[in-house]
Amino acid sequence: MKSRRAGPPVFEGKTDVAEASGGLVIRPMDQFEVRPLFGGDTVGIFTITNVTLWMALTIAAVTLLMVVGSRGRALVPTRSQSVAELAYSFVYKMIEDVTGRDAVRFFPYIMTLFMFVFFANILGLVPFAFTTTSHIAVTAVLALAVFISVTVLGFVINGASFLRLFWVDSAPLALRPVLALIEVISYCVRPVSHSIRLAGAMMAGHAVAKVFAGFAAALGAAFFVPVLAVAALYALELLVAVIQAYVFTILTCVYLKDALHPHH
Amino acid sequence: MEGELADMGRYIGVGLTAIGMGGAAIGVGNIAGNFLSGALRNPAAAAGQTAMLFIGIAFAEALGIFSFLVALLLMFAV
Amino acid sequence: MADNAGNGVGMPQLDFSTFPNQIFWLVVTLVVLYLILSRVALPRIGSVLAERAGTISNDIAAAETYKQQAAEAEAAYHRALEEARAAAARVVDEARAEIQADLDAAIAKADAEIAARAAESEQKIAAIRDSADAAVAEVARDAAREIVAAFGISADATAVDAAVDERLQRGAA
């Protein structure tokens, strides 16, 4: 495959054919590129890039909703305040229901995760936006943070008996070592699926939207067909963005429950 | 010629990964359908189980996304 | 793509040279978000929600108190009404008894007066009758004396009177 790398990229090769027939150039992965904002080509660790911009916008959106929206502290809430309260009690109730009452002390951490993923997903749907959560680097850090902190927490709270999480008491004795192995593997795969699910879902939707939008440019008079398709896709993407944020948070709660109550 | 053959194999592989998405679709549909039939039998208990519904859907969906990821890797990274 | 020059990978997600940058900014973002949420937003919203829950339960408790007070007031009103009714009945009874007593007294007085007058009248009648009897006896004595005298018998006046009285008494008896 080294020869391919040296040559033009995949879609370049494909568009060579397409350009001859109608100038179809679709580059669905361009939108995920990390670019320096203020010139330059190299992306160092402290370079201000579009990642920085959209993460800052995420912070701004969260602040706008949760801090500015609730500044009135009204007993009868305004519209923005009631949305902020809705988000608050939504996550609070999720932790209470899934993890248990004693997990409420982790509420700020889980709320941070939820608000970040939610607004990064939603802001990624703005046209020409950069979706930070579509990058495996970002979601892997989020998932690994959850994984490591949950595992450490499990050992700190339960000591060595945390390992009983992998020892299925209800299974026949002969099967237990096999099951324990499977449980350990599935436990260790958690951060992988946790991070790839979010990044993959975001990436897939945006890439498909881009491909459809490219069709609209190529189809000429029949442009409205892919435009309608993109509109429908955007509605689906909005749903996916919300559900993925919800799923990411609720899985965090489920993992946290394993750390707090490994015997159930 | 060799490169074109490799391209062809890659595109075939990408197409085959689409089958994986179909499997995920079956799984998600199965979960949602079973949830709905259970919820219609006992609507009172349904509200408390929506979290489990979404967790199940997330697990089923993750495998579809893995196949999509394989497709992307074949297309752009290999 | 950035790899027009042919030096990058097709998927920007797998461009490891950008990973440190993304991870750095992600960590900064998460820390900032955590500080904003845990220091400002969540305590504020939590206190608002707690305050609202407190206000609602206080209001419900107050409403409960007011309801109880209203029930008590209604009971007191009914009690007062009953008392007033009983008092009214008592007053009516008293008045009736008083009137009855007055009436009885008046009737008794009238009866007594009637009886007194009747007795007086009877006395008068008796007196008149007695005097009439006396007058009849006198007349009878006189007449008997005269008759006896007319028959030319000189009779003792007292004997005549005695005979007349005897006859009168015998006739009366």
PDB file of all heavy atoms in Angstrom, chain A residues 5 29-30 33 44 47 49 52 55 67 70-71 75 85 88 134-135 203, chain C residues 1-2 6 12-13 21-22 24-26 29 34 36 44 46 48-49 52:
ATOM      1  N   ARG A   5       0.002   5.483  -1.050  1.00  0.00           N
ATOM      2  CA  ARG A   5       0.249   6.704  -0.261  1.00  0.00           C
ATOM      3  C   ARG A   5       1.010   7.723  -1.091  1.00  0.00           C
ATOM      4  O   ARG A   5       0.771   8.901  -1.008  1.00  0.00           O
ATOM      5  CB  ARG A   5       1.074   6.337   0.974  1.00  0.00           C
ATOM      6  CG  ARG A   5       0.287   5.513   1.965  1.00  0.00           C
ATOM      7  CD  ARG A   5      -0.092   6.353   3.156  1.00  0.00           C
ATOM      8  NE  ARG A   5      -1.057   5.621   3.980  1.00  0.00           N
ATOM      9  CZ  ARG A   5      -0.709   4.923   5.033  1.00  0.00           C
ATOM     10  NH1 ARG A   5       0.552   4.891   5.415  1.00  0.00           N
ATOM     11  NH2 ARG A   5      -1.609   4.287   5.729  1.00  0.00           N
ATOM     12  N   MET A  29     -14.196  13.862   3.631  1.00  0.00           N
ATOM     13  CA  MET A  29     -13.398  13.875   4.847  1.00  0.00           C
ATOM     14  C   MET A  29     -12.709  15.218   5.085  1.00  0.00           C
ATOM     15  O   MET A  29     -12.082  15.414   6.107  1.00  0.00           O
ATOM     16  CB  MET A  29     -12.345  12.762   4.806  1.00  0.00           C
ATOM     17  CG  MET A  29     -12.933  11.383   4.545  1.00  0.00           C
ATOM     18  SD  MET A  29     -14.323  10.998   5.595  1.00  0.00           S
ATOM     19  CE  MET A  29     -13.468  10.362   7.007  1.00  0.00           C
ATOM     20  N   ASP A  30     -12.850  16.138   4.128  1.00  0.00           N
ATOM     21  CA  ASP A  30     -12.180  17.432   4.294  1.00  0.00           C
ATOM     22  C   ASP A  30     -12.621  18.165   5.538  1.00  0.00           C
ATOM     23  O   ASP A  30     -11.843  18.851   6.191  1.00  0.00           O
ATOM     24  CB  ASP A  30     -12.484  18.328   3.081  1.00  0.00           C
ATOM     25  CG  ASP A  30     -11.500  18.065   1.965  1.00  0.00           C
ATOM     26  OD1 ASP A  30     -10.793  17.039   2.053  1.00  0.00           O
ATOM     27  OD2 ASP A  30     -11.445  18.876   1.026  1.00  0.00           O
ATOM     28  N   GLU A  33     -10.679  17.959   8.871  1.00  0.00           N
ATOM     29  CA  GLU A  33      -9.272  18.327   8.955  1.00  0.00           C
ATOM     30  C   GLU A  33      -9.008  19.301  10.093  1.00  0.00           C
ATOM     31  O   GLU A  33      -9.789  20.227  10.321  1.00  0.00           O
ATOM     32  CB  GLU A  33      -8.871  19.002   7.647  1.00  0.00           C
ATOM     33  CG  GLU A  33      -7.838  18.247   6.886  1.00  0.00           C
ATOM     34  CD  GLU A  33      -7.634  18.926   5.570  1.00  0.00           C
ATOM     35  OE1 GLU A  33      -7.384  20.141   5.568  1.00  0.00           O
ATOM     36  OE2 GLU A  33      -7.783  18.246   4.540  1.00  0.00           O
ATOM     37  N   GLY A  44       1.195  22.234  16.008  1.00  0.00           N
ATOM     38  CA  GLY A  44       1.886  21.887  17.254  1.00  0.00           C
ATOM     39  C   GLY A  44       0.883  21.691  18.360  1.00  0.00           C
ATOM     40  O   GLY A  44      -0.327  21.824  18.158  1.00  0.00           O
ATOM     41  N   THR A  47      -0.873  25.090  19.126  1.00  0.00           N
ATOM     42  CA  THR A  47      -1.360  25.872  18.000  1.00  0.00           C
ATOM     43  C   THR A  47      -2.863  26.086  18.126  1.00  0.00           C
ATOM     44  O   THR A  47      -3.606  25.167  18.503  1.00  0.00           O
ATOM     45  CB  THR A  47      -1.094  25.126  16.683  1.00  0.00           C
ATOM     46  OG1 THR A  47       0.248  24.681  16.688  1.00  0.00           O
ATOM     47  CG2 THR A  47      -1.348  26.027  15.503  1.00  0.00           C
ATOM     48  N   THR A  49      -6.129  26.080  16.652  1.00  0.00           N
ATOM     49  CA  THR A  49      -6.685  25.474  15.444  1.00  0.00           C
ATOM     50  C   THR A  49      -8.209  25.584  15.467  1.00  0.00           C
ATOM     51  O   THR A  49      -8.789  26.181  16.383  1.00  0.00           O
ATOM     52  CB  THR A  49      -6.297  23.991  15.379  1.00  0.00           C
ATOM     53  OG1 THR A  49      -6.753  23.379  16.576  1.00  0.00           O
ATOM     54  CG2 THR A  49      -4.802  23.822  15.270  1.00  0.00           C
ATOM     55  N   THR A  52      -9.620  24.345  18.614  1.00  0.00           N
ATOM     56  CA  THR A  52      -9.695  25.347  19.672  1.00  0.00           C
ATOM     57  C   THR A  52     -10.950  26.196  19.535  1.00  0.00           C
ATOM     58  O   THR A  52     -11.692  26.408  20.502  1.00  0.00           O
ATOM     59  CB  THR A  52      -8.467  26.276  19.593  1.00  0.00           C
ATOM     60  OG1 THR A  52      -7.340  25.488  19.312  1.00  0.00           O
ATOM     61  CG2 THR A  52      -8.285  27.028  20.884  1.00  0.00           C
ATOM     62  N   MET A  55     -14.174  24.174  20.276  1.00  0.00           N
ATOM     63  CA  MET A  55     -14.286  23.845  21.703  1.00  0.00           C
ATOM     64  C   MET A  55     -14.607  25.098  22.511  1.00  0.00           C
ATOM     65  O   MET A  55     -15.396  25.063  23.456  1.00  0.00           O
ATOM     66  CB  MET A  55     -12.997  23.195  22.192  1.00  0.00           C
ATOM     67  CG  MET A  55     -12.909  21.752  21.749  1.00  0.00           C
ATOM     68  SD  MET A  55     -11.585  20.891  22.537  1.00  0.00           S
ATOM     69  CE  MET A  55     -11.765  19.278  21.817  1.00  0.00           C
ATOM     70  N   VAL A  67     -25.199  29.291  32.647  1.00  0.00           N
ATOM     71  CA  VAL A  67     -24.859  30.407  33.540  1.00  0.00           C
ATOM     72  C   VAL A  67     -25.711  31.624  33.213  1.00  0.00           C
ATOM     73  O   VAL A  67     -26.407  32.154  34.092  1.00  0.00           O
ATOM     74  CB  VAL A  67     -23.357  30.745  33.438  1.00  0.00           C
ATOM     75  CG1 VAL A  67     -23.037  31.922  34.308  1.00  0.00           C
ATOM     76  CG2 VAL A  67     -22.528  29.544  33.832  1.00  0.00           C
ATOM     77  N   SER A  70     -29.522  30.945  33.534  1.00  0.00           N
ATOM     78  CA  SER A  70     -30.097  30.786  34.875  1.00  0.00           C
ATOM     79  C   SER A  70     -29.766  31.964  35.775  1.00  0.00           C
ATOM     80  O   SER A  70     -29.918  31.864  36.990  1.00  0.00           O
ATOM     81  CB  SER A  70     -29.574  29.493  35.497  1.00  0.00           C
ATOM     82  OG  SER A  70     -28.202  29.627  35.754  1.00  0.00           O
ATOM     83  N   ARG A  71     -29.302  33.087  35.189  1.00  0.00           N
ATOM     84  CA  ARG A  71     -28.822  34.168  36.054  1.00  0.00           C
ATOM     85  C   ARG A  71     -29.951  34.797  36.852  1.00  0.00           C
ATOM     86  O   ARG A  71     -29.725  35.413  37.886  1.00  0.00           O
ATOM     87  CB  ARG A  71     -28.102  35.229  35.224  1.00  0.00           C
ATOM     88  CG  ARG A  71     -29.029  36.089  34.384  1.00  0.00           C
ATOM     89  CD  ARG A  71     -28.248  36.968  33.444  1.00  0.00           C
ATOM     90  NE  ARG A  71     -29.137  37.790  32.641  1.00  0.00           N
ATOM     91  CZ  ARG A  71     -29.895  37.337  31.651  1.00  0.00           C
ATOM     92  NH1 ARG A  71     -29.871  36.068  31.348  1.00  0.00           N
ATOM     93  NH2 ARG A  71     -30.677  38.153  30.965  1.00  0.00           N
ATOM     94  N   LEU A  75     -37.978  32.125  40.673  1.00  0.00           N
ATOM     95  CA  LEU A  75     -38.760  31.035  41.246  1.00  0.00           C
ATOM     96  C   LEU A  75     -39.662  30.431  40.170  1.00  0.00           C
ATOM     97  O   LEU A  75     -39.834  29.229  40.083  1.00  0.00           O
ATOM     98  CB  LEU A  75     -39.594  31.578  42.409  1.00  0.00           C
ATOM     99  CG  LEU A  75     -39.911  30.566  43.496  1.00  0.00           C
ATOM    100  CD1 LEU A  75     -38.645  29.966  44.052  1.00  0.00           C
ATOM    101  CD2 LEU A  75     -40.699  31.226  44.599  1.00  0.00           C
ATOM    102  N   GLU A  85     -32.639  24.135  33.747  1.00  0.00           N
ATOM    103  CA  GLU A  85     -33.093  23.264  34.832  1.00  0.00           C
ATOM    104  C   GLU A  85     -33.451  21.884  34.300  1.00  0.00           C
ATOM    105  O   GLU A  85     -33.223  20.871  34.964  1.00  0.00           O
ATOM    106  CB  GLU A  85     -34.310  23.879  35.526  1.00  0.00           C
ATOM    107  CG  GLU A  85     -33.948  25.049  36.401  1.00  0.00           C
ATOM    108  CD  GLU A  85     -35.172  25.790  36.875  1.00  0.00           C
ATOM    109  OE1 GLU A  85     -36.290  25.314  36.609  1.00  0.00           O
ATOM    110  OE2 GLU A  85     -35.006  26.850  37.486  1.00  0.00           O
ATOM    111  N   TYR A  88     -30.273  20.034  33.845  1.00  0.00           N
ATOM    112  CA  TYR A  88     -29.774  19.682  35.184  1.00  0.00           C
ATOM    113  C   TYR A  88     -30.519  18.476  35.724  1.00  0.00           C
ATOM    114  O   TYR A  88     -29.919  17.459  36.080  1.00  0.00           O
ATOM    115  CB  TYR A  88     -29.974  20.891  36.102  1.00  0.00           C
ATOM    116  CG  TYR A  88     -29.532  20.719  37.532  1.00  0.00           C
ATOM    117  CD1 TYR A  88     -28.293  21.182  37.949  1.00  0.00           C
ATOM    118  CD2 TYR A  88     -30.360  20.115  38.471  1.00  0.00           C
ATOM    119  CE1 TYR A  88     -27.887  21.047  39.255  1.00  0.00           C
ATOM    120  CE2 TYR A  88     -29.956  19.973  39.784  1.00  0.00           C
ATOM    121  CZ  TYR A  88     -28.723  20.445  40.176  1.00  0.00           C
ATOM    122  OH  TYR A  88     -28.332  20.315  41.469  1.00  0.00           O
ATOM    123  N   SER A 134     -16.157  14.272  16.413  1.00  0.00           N
ATOM    124  CA  SER A 134     -15.995  13.281  15.351  1.00  0.00           C
ATOM    125  C   SER A 134     -14.558  12.781  15.312  1.00  0.00           C
ATOM    126  O   SER A 134     -14.238  11.926  14.497  1.00  0.00           O
ATOM    127  CB  SER A 134     -16.379  13.882  14.005  1.00  0.00           C
ATOM    128  OG  SER A 134     -15.397  14.812  13.619  1.00  0.00           O
ATOM    129  N   HIS A 135     -13.707  13.319  16.169  1.00  0.00           N
ATOM    130  CA  HIS A 135     -12.313  12.900  16.165  1.00  0.00           C
ATOM    131  C   HIS A 135     -12.059  11.866  17.230  1.00  0.00           C
ATOM    132  O   HIS A 135     -12.415  12.062  18.393  1.00  0.00           O
ATOM    133  CB  HIS A 135     -11.401  14.118  16.374  1.00  0.00           C
ATOM    134  CG  HIS A 135     -11.061  14.768  15.081  1.00  0.00           C
ATOM    135  ND1 HIS A 135      -9.893  14.539  14.418  1.00  0.00           N
ATOM    136  CD2 HIS A 135     -11.774  15.611  14.304  1.00  0.00           C
ATOM    137  CE1 HIS A 135      -9.878  15.219  13.289  1.00  0.00           C
ATOM    138  NE2 HIS A 135     -11.021  15.882  13.199  1.00  0.00           N
ATOM    139  N   MET A 203     -18.969  11.077  12.687  1.00  0.00           N
ATOM    140  CA  MET A 203     -18.262  11.078  11.417  1.00  0.00           C
ATOM    141  C   MET A 203     -19.172  10.599  10.292  1.00  0.00           C
ATOM    142  O   MET A 203     -19.234  11.210   9.216  1.00  0.00           O
ATOM    143  CB  MET A 203     -17.074  10.130  11.545  1.00  0.00           C
ATOM    144  CG  MET A 203     -15.929  10.389  10.604  1.00  0.00           C
ATOM    145  SD  MET A 203     -14.889   8.937  10.521  1.00  0.00           S
ATOM    146  CE  MET A 203     -14.588   8.565  12.232  1.00  0.00           C
TER     147      MET A 203
ATOM    148  N   MET C   1      -8.067  17.590   0.054  1.00  0.00           N
ATOM    149  CA  MET C   1      -7.431  17.146   1.281  1.00  0.00           C
ATOM    150  C   MET C   1      -6.075  17.797   1.466  1.00  0.00           C
ATOM    151  O   MET C   1      -5.483  18.327   0.538  1.00  0.00           O
ATOM    152  CB  MET C   1      -7.243  15.637   1.217  1.00  0.00           C
ATOM    153  CG  MET C   1      -8.494  14.910   1.650  1.00  0.00           C
ATOM    154  SD  MET C   1      -8.342  13.173   1.346  1.00  0.00           S
ATOM    155  CE  MET C   1      -9.967  12.844   0.741  1.00  0.00           C
ATOM    156  N   ALA C   2      -5.646  17.702   2.723  1.00  0.00           N
ATOM    157  CA  ALA C   2      -4.360  18.317   3.020  1.00  0.00           C
ATOM    158  C   ALA C   2      -3.224  17.575   2.355  1.00  0.00           C
ATOM    159  O   ALA C   2      -2.130  18.101   2.222  1.00  0.00           O
ATOM    160  CB  ALA C   2      -4.133  18.337   4.524  1.00  0.00           C
ATOM    161  N   GLY C   6       0.445  14.611  -1.173  1.00  0.00           N
ATOM    162  CA  GLY C   6       0.644  13.172  -1.085  1.00  0.00           C
ATOM    163  C   GLY C   6       1.431  12.766   0.131  1.00  0.00           C
ATOM    164  O   GLY C   6       2.018  11.697   0.158  1.00  0.00           O
ATOM    165  N   PRO C  12      -8.496  12.385   8.270  1.00  0.00           N
ATOM    166  CA  PRO C  12      -7.887  13.334   9.212  1.00  0.00           C
ATOM    167  C   PRO C  12      -7.892  12.793  10.641  1.00  0.00           C
ATOM    168  O   PRO C  12      -7.048  13.168  11.445  1.00  0.00           O
ATOM    169  CB  PRO C  12      -8.780  14.567   9.088  1.00  0.00           C
ATOM    170  CG  PRO C  12      -9.474  14.417   7.800  1.00  0.00           C
ATOM    171  CD  PRO C  12      -9.621  12.961   7.552  1.00  0.00           C
ATOM    172  N   GLN C  13      -8.871  11.907  10.938  1.00  0.00           N
ATOM    173  CA  GLN C  13      -8.946  11.353  12.298  1.00  0.00           C
ATOM    174  C   GLN C  13      -7.715  10.528  12.633  1.00  0.00           C
ATOM    175  O   GLN C  13      -7.404  10.330  13.791  1.00  0.00           O
ATOM    176  CB  GLN C  13     -10.182  10.459  12.432  1.00  0.00           C
ATOM    177  CG  GLN C  13     -11.445  11.201  12.720  1.00  0.00           C
ATOM    178  CD  GLN C  13     -12.131  11.652  11.453  1.00  0.00           C
ATOM    179  OE1 GLN C  13     -11.572  11.567  10.371  1.00  0.00           O
ATOM    180  NE2 GLN C  13     -13.347  12.143  11.589  1.00  0.00           N
ATOM    181  N   ASN C  21      -2.341  18.302  19.833  1.00  0.00           N
ATOM    182  CA  ASN C  21      -3.099  19.549  19.799  1.00  0.00           C
ATOM    183  C   ASN C  21      -4.534  19.340  20.260  1.00  0.00           C
ATOM    184  O   ASN C  21      -5.034  20.029  21.167  1.00  0.00           O
ATOM    185  CB  ASN C  21      -3.065  20.098  18.375  1.00  0.00           C
ATOM    186  CG  ASN C  21      -3.831  21.386  18.238  1.00  0.00           C
ATOM    187  OD1 ASN C  21      -5.016  21.352  17.933  1.00  0.00           O
ATOM    188  ND2 ASN C  21      -3.175  22.502  18.505  1.00  0.00           N
ATOM    189  N   GLN C  22      -5.210  18.334  19.682  1.00  0.00           N
ATOM    190  CA  GLN C  22      -6.618  18.090  20.050  1.00  0.00           C
ATOM    191  C   GLN C  22      -6.757  17.728  21.510  1.00  0.00           C
ATOM    192  O   GLN C  22      -7.655  18.226  22.210  1.00  0.00           O
ATOM    193  CB  GLN C  22      -7.168  16.940  19.207  1.00  0.00           C
ATOM    194  CG  GLN C  22      -7.249  17.280  17.745  1.00  0.00           C
ATOM    195  CD  GLN C  22      -8.057  16.235  17.025  1.00  0.00           C
ATOM    196  OE1 GLN C  22      -9.155  15.916  17.443  1.00  0.00           O
ATOM    197  NE2 GLN C  22      -7.529  15.713  15.947  1.00  0.00           N
ATOM    198  N   PHE C  24      -4.716  18.401  23.962  1.00  0.00           N
ATOM    199  CA  PHE C  24      -4.437  19.554  24.826  1.00  0.00           C
ATOM    200  C   PHE C  24      -5.665  20.451  24.934  1.00  0.00           C
ATOM    201  O   PHE C  24      -6.116  20.795  26.040  1.00  0.00           O
ATOM    202  CB  PHE C  24      -3.257  20.354  24.260  1.00  0.00           C
ATOM    203  CG  PHE C  24      -3.072  21.671  24.939  1.00  0.00           C
ATOM    204  CD1 PHE C  24      -2.575  21.726  26.231  1.00  0.00           C
ATOM    205  CD2 PHE C  24      -3.413  22.858  24.299  1.00  0.00           C
ATOM    206  CE1 PHE C  24      -2.416  22.943  26.866  1.00  0.00           C
ATOM    207  CE2 PHE C  24      -3.258  24.068  24.941  1.00  0.00           C
ATOM    208  CZ  PHE C  24      -2.752  24.115  26.226  1.00  0.00           C
ATOM    209  N   TRP C  25      -6.241  20.812  23.786  1.00  0.00           N
ATOM    210  CA  TRP C  25      -7.385  21.726  23.840  1.00  0.00           C
ATOM    211  C   TRP C  25      -8.601  21.068  24.467  1.00  0.00           C
ATOM    212  O   TRP C  25      -9.392  21.731  25.151  1.00  0.00           O
ATOM    213  CB  TRP C  25      -7.726  22.256  22.449  1.00  0.00           C
ATOM    214  CG  TRP C  25      -6.705  23.216  21.959  1.00  0.00           C
ATOM    215  CD1 TRP C  25      -5.880  23.056  20.897  1.00  0.00           C
ATOM    216  CD2 TRP C  25      -6.378  24.492  22.526  1.00  0.00           C
ATOM    217  NE1 TRP C  25      -5.054  24.136  20.756  1.00  0.00           N
ATOM    218  CE2 TRP C  25      -5.341  25.040  21.750  1.00  0.00           C
ATOM    219  CE3 TRP C  25      -6.845  25.221  23.608  1.00  0.00           C
ATOM    220  CZ2 TRP C  25      -4.782  26.278  22.019  1.00  0.00           C
ATOM    221  CZ3 TRP C  25      -6.290  26.460  23.883  1.00  0.00           C
ATOM    222  CH2 TRP C  25      -5.268  26.971  23.091  1.00  0.00           C
ATOM    223  N   LEU C  26      -8.732  19.754  24.293  1.00  0.00           N
ATOM    224  CA  LEU C  26      -9.848  19.049  24.927  1.00  0.00           C
ATOM    225  C   LEU C  26      -9.723  19.115  26.448  1.00  0.00           C
ATOM    226  O   LEU C  26     -10.708  19.408  27.149  1.00  0.00           O
ATOM    227  CB  LEU C  26      -9.887  17.588  24.475  1.00  0.00           C
ATOM    228  CG  LEU C  26     -10.907  16.731  25.222  1.00  0.00           C
ATOM    229  CD1 LEU C  26     -12.314  17.169  24.885  1.00  0.00           C
ATOM    230  CD2 LEU C  26     -10.730  15.267  24.911  1.00  0.00           C
ATOM    231  N   THR C  29     -10.548  22.509  27.607  1.00  0.00           N
ATOM    232  CA  THR C  29     -11.996  22.724  27.545  1.00  0.00           C
ATOM    233  C   THR C  29     -12.718  22.036  28.682  1.00  0.00           C
ATOM    234  O   THR C  29     -13.593  22.629  29.336  1.00  0.00           O
ATOM    235  CB  THR C  29     -12.534  22.177  26.203  1.00  0.00           C
ATOM    236  OG1 THR C  29     -11.813  22.780  25.157  1.00  0.00           O
ATOM    237  CG2 THR C  29     -13.996  22.469  26.055  1.00  0.00           C
ATOM    238  N   TYR C  34     -15.696  22.157  33.522  1.00  0.00           N
ATOM    239  CA  TYR C  34     -15.939  21.621  34.866  1.00  0.00           C
ATOM    240  C   TYR C  34     -15.979  22.754  35.877  1.00  0.00           C
ATOM    241  O   TYR C  34     -16.864  22.794  36.745  1.00  0.00           O
ATOM    242  CB  TYR C  34     -14.856  20.605  35.237  1.00  0.00           C
ATOM    243  CG  TYR C  34     -14.982  20.151  36.654  1.00  0.00           C
ATOM    244  CD1 TYR C  34     -15.984  19.266  37.014  1.00  0.00           C
ATOM    245  CD2 TYR C  34     -14.141  20.641  37.649  1.00  0.00           C
ATOM    246  CE1 TYR C  34     -16.124  18.855  38.318  1.00  0.00           C
ATOM    247  CE2 TYR C  34     -14.277  20.244  38.957  1.00  0.00           C
ATOM    248  CZ  TYR C  34     -15.274  19.344  39.285  1.00  0.00           C
ATOM    249  OH  TYR C  34     -15.430  18.960  40.586  1.00  0.00           O
ATOM    250  N   ILE C  36     -16.644  25.947  35.346  1.00  0.00           N
ATOM    251  CA  ILE C  36     -17.850  26.775  35.165  1.00  0.00           C
ATOM    252  C   ILE C  36     -19.062  26.076  35.757  1.00  0.00           C
ATOM    253  O   ILE C  36     -19.844  26.663  36.510  1.00  0.00           O
ATOM    254  CB  ILE C  36     -18.079  27.059  33.662  1.00  0.00           C
ATOM    255  CG1 ILE C  36     -17.031  28.039  33.146  1.00  0.00           C
ATOM    256  CG2 ILE C  36     -19.462  27.626  33.438  1.00  0.00           C
ATOM    257  CD1 ILE C  36     -17.104  28.246  31.660  1.00  0.00           C
ATOM    258  N   ARG C  44     -25.982  27.030  41.448  1.00  0.00           N
ATOM    259  CA  ARG C  44     -27.059  28.012  41.280  1.00  0.00           C
ATOM    260  C   ARG C  44     -28.371  27.316  40.921  1.00  0.00           C
ATOM    261  O   ARG C  44     -29.405  27.524  41.572  1.00  0.00           O
ATOM    262  CB  ARG C  44     -26.670  29.004  40.185  1.00  0.00           C
ATOM    263  CG  ARG C  44     -27.698  30.092  39.997  1.00  0.00           C
ATOM    264  CD  ARG C  44     -27.420  30.916  38.777  1.00  0.00           C
ATOM    265  NE  ARG C  44     -26.238  31.746  38.940  1.00  0.00           N
ATOM    266  CZ  ARG C  44     -25.738  32.487  37.959  1.00  0.00           C
ATOM    267  NH1 ARG C  44     -26.300  32.466  36.778  1.00  0.00           N
ATOM    268  NH2 ARG C  44     -24.677  33.219  38.156  1.00  0.00           N
ATOM    269  N   GLY C  46     -29.096  24.186  41.249  1.00  0.00           N
ATOM    270  CA  GLY C  46     -29.518  23.304  42.334  1.00  0.00           C
ATOM    271  C   GLY C  46     -30.220  24.075  43.432  1.00  0.00           C
ATOM    272  O   GLY C  46     -31.265  23.644  43.942  1.00  0.00           O
ATOM    273  N   VAL C  48     -31.758  26.929  43.113  1.00  0.00           N
ATOM    274  CA  VAL C  48     -33.062  27.394  42.615  1.00  0.00           C
ATOM    275  C   VAL C  48     -34.093  26.269  42.706  1.00  0.00           C
ATOM    276  O   VAL C  48     -35.219  26.467  43.176  1.00  0.00           O
ATOM    277  CB  VAL C  48     -32.939  27.907  41.168  1.00  0.00           C
ATOM    278  CG1 VAL C  48     -34.308  28.106  40.555  1.00  0.00           C
ATOM    279  CG2 VAL C  48     -32.178  29.208  41.136  1.00  0.00           C
ATOM    280  N   LEU C  49     -33.666  25.068  42.274  1.00  0.00           N
ATOM    281  CA  LEU C  49     -34.605  23.938  42.305  1.00  0.00           C
ATOM    282  C   LEU C  49     -34.991  23.605  43.747  1.00  0.00           C
ATOM    283  O   LEU C  49     -36.171  23.376  44.047  1.00  0.00           O
ATOM    284  CB  LEU C  49     -33.967  22.718  41.645  1.00  0.00           C
ATOM    285  CG  LEU C  49     -33.836  22.771  40.128  1.00  0.00           C
ATOM    286  CD1 LEU C  49     -33.161  21.522  39.606  1.00  0.00           C
ATOM    287  CD2 LEU C  49     -35.199  22.927  39.480  1.00  0.00           C
ATOM    288  N   ARG C  52     -37.301  26.184  45.033  1.00  0.00           N
ATOM    289  CA  ARG C  52     -38.652  26.024  44.486  1.00  0.00           C
ATOM    290  C   ARG C  52     -39.382  24.879  45.181  1.00  0.00           C
ATOM    291  O   ARG C  52     -40.536  25.006  45.567  1.00  0.00           O
ATOM    292  CB  ARG C  52     -38.579  25.773  42.990  1.00  0.00           C
ATOM    293  CG  ARG C  52     -39.953  25.636  42.369  1.00  0.00           C
ATOM    294  CD  ARG C  52     -39.866  25.557  40.877  1.00  0.00           C
ATOM    295  NE  ARG C  52     -39.007  26.601  40.360  1.00  0.00           N
ATOM    296  CZ  ARG C  52     -38.243  26.443  39.299  1.00  0.00           C
ATOM    297  NH1 ARG C  52     -38.218  25.306  38.665  1.00  0.00           N
ATOM    298  NH2 ARG C  52     -37.500  27.429  38.880  1.00  0.00           N
TER     299      ARG C  52
END
